[in-house]
């Protein structure tokens, strides 16, 4: 159904497509998150290791222990003091990994 306000046409793309990264907020984290990716991507893993070192211990454990510890539960990761630095570390690690693949975001957004 067309009306006077319908616009039809074509867009000619010049250059690379624009890319935006949207980082999730609290609630997206889960035990074991990113473990397989870290096993296969050294940039991702190194960035998480750096973030874990910078954050220092949280409730007596490193970020990596909160990520991949055997006894970590969803309830543990729902705690804001654990979830927030973990999500920031993952966002930075994913961004650096994508940057290594040549993906350069035009915009980055998120919440929490």
């Amino acid at each position: 159904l067309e009306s006077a306000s319908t616009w039809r046409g074509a867009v000619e793309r010049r250059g690379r497509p624009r890319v935006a990264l949207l980082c999730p907020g609290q609630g997206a984290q889960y035990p074991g998150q990113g473990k397989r990716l870290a096993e296969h991507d050294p940039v991702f893993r190194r960035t998480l290791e750096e973030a874990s070192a910078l954050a220092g211990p949280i409730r007596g454990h490193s970020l990596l222990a909160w990520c991949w510890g055997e006894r970590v539960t969803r309830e543990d990761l729902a705690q804001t003091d654990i979830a927030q630095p973990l999500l920031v570390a993952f966002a930075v690690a994913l961004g650096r990994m994508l940057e290594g693949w040549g993906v350069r975001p035009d915009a980055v957004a998120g919440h929490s």
Side-chain angles (χ1 to χ4, degrees):
L1 181 66
E2 288 193 39
S3 71
S5 62
T6 302
W7 180 83
R8 289 186 177 265
V11 176
E12 183 179 328
R13 182 172 298 187
R14 293 182 181 139
R16 71 173 181 82
R18 295 188 62 178
V19 175
L21 299 180
L22 178 60
C23 304
Q26 190 166 336
Q29 69 281 0
Y30 58 91
Q33 176 177 326
K35 188 171 185 176
R36 288 186 56 204
L37 183 55
E39 291 170 355
H40 297 283
D41 192 285
V43 172
F44 180 80
R45 178 163 190 105
R46 187 172 46 256
T47 304
L48 282 182
E49 289 169 348
E50 291 170 3
S52 185
L54 285 170
I58 299 170
R59 295 191 190 191
H61 301 285
S62 70
L63 278 182
L64 289 180
W66 284 117
C67 289
W68 305 324
E70 291 182 21
R71 294 195 166 113
V72 175
T73 66
R74 284 190 177 271
E75 291 76 23
D76 293 329
L77 296 180
Q79 304 304 309
T80 301
D81 60 331
I82 297 168
Q84 294 297 322
L86 188 60
L87 289 169
V88 169
F90 268 84
V92 172
L94 287 168
R96 285 190 181 168
M97 180 189 74
L98 291 172
E99 186 177 59
W101 295 352
V103 176
R104 304 276 192 265
D106 296 291
V108 178
H111 65 90
S112 293

